[in-house]
Amino acid sequence: MDILYLMILCSASLAAVFLIIFIVNARKGQFEDDESPAVRILFDSGEIKEKEKKGNKKDEEKIGENNKIEEKSE
């Protein structure tokens, strides 16, 4: 029966440690942006900078993006 108390104490303390780590990282902003890393991996950094420079040419960007993706897949 003593081992059961020890296991409960260990598991509760481990859960508390993970909770503290989670709270610290949440306050630092670790979990703020979970969407852009998934998108960023698909494009090189040069292509992203090109899109930012073009500005208002949305239709041309869409056509250009499709061509770039097709060229890379070939």
Side-chain angles (χ1 to χ4, degrees), residues 19-65:
L19 180 64
I20 291 170
I21 291 171
F22 174 76
I23 291 171
V24 168
N25 286 330
R27 287 189 180 177
K28 287 183 180 180
Q30 182 73 26
F31 307 111
E32 290 293 324
D33 189 18
D34 59 348
E35 195 170 308
S36 67
V39 174
R40 195 180 317 138
I41 196 169
L42 298 175
F43 300 105
D44 288 335
S45 60
E47 293 175 3
I48 293 173
K49 290 178 184 176
E50 288 176 12
K51 288 192 320 186
E52 292 174 356
K53 289 180 183 177
K54 286 183 181 179
N56 295 331
K57 299 179 182 179
K58 292 181 181 177
D59 295 333
E60 292 178 8
E61 285 181 10
K62 289 180 183 176
I63 294 171
E65 287 177 12

